[in-house]
Amino acid sequence: MVTSSKDGADSVLDRELHDAEIVISQPFWPAYMTAERIAKAKKLKMIVTAGIGSDHTDLQAAMDRGVTVAEVTYCKQQQRRRTCGDDDAGAVRNYIPPTTG
């Protein structure tokens, strides 16, 4: 499940957290993994930050529950590099590549 609804008790994240095994977040728009949220997520095995930083995760609560906390460094930098490269190509060649998906 992918969502941007992650704030407040009525958020999609809070409604679905009970069934989550992995939560992936990002440092500039994080899903705050508090001790309360970690306690609700009985199946939670891993919290991943797509980028650098885990200050939005209660590390002690994760350790107490045996939840792995990991960072995937440089993933945001690579995306920025690709975006800047696409912008440069568009400016120099008047070319914008199609999106694939």
Side-chain angles (χ1 to χ4, degrees):
M1 184 249 332
V2 176
T3 184
S4 61
S5 172
K6 57 189 176 29
D7 298 318
D10 204 25
S11 68
V12 172
L13 175 64
D14 281 312
R15 285 196 312 261
E16 301 292 333
L17 203 51
H18 71 280
D19 209 29
E21 292 184 11
I22 300 171
V23 171
I24 302 173
S25 186
Q26 57 184 325
F28 298 110
W29 201 31
Y32 288 92
M33 292 304 293
T34 61
E36 294 79 19
R37 281 184 165 166
I38 291 170
K40 278 196 243 180
K42 302 295 184 196
K43 298 180 182 180
L44 190 62
K45 296 176 184 168
M46 180 179 283
I47 300 168
V48 180
T49 300
I52 299 171
S54 53
D55 58 334
H56 55 276
T57 297
D58 187 322
L59 296 175
Q60 187 62 55
M63 280 192 321
D64 292 346
R65 285 273 319 282
V67 174
T68 300
V69 177
E71 296 177 358
V72 181
T73 56
Y74 297 113
C75 69
K76 295 304 247 180
Q77 288 84 350
Q78 288 170 354
Q79 180 59 37
R80 273 193 224 110
R81 230 176 294 140
R82 181 182 180 277
T83 301
C84 291
D86 286 352
D87 290 347
D88 291 346
V92 171
R93 298 185 185 144
N94 196 23
Y95 170 75
I96 304 297
T99 57
T100 58

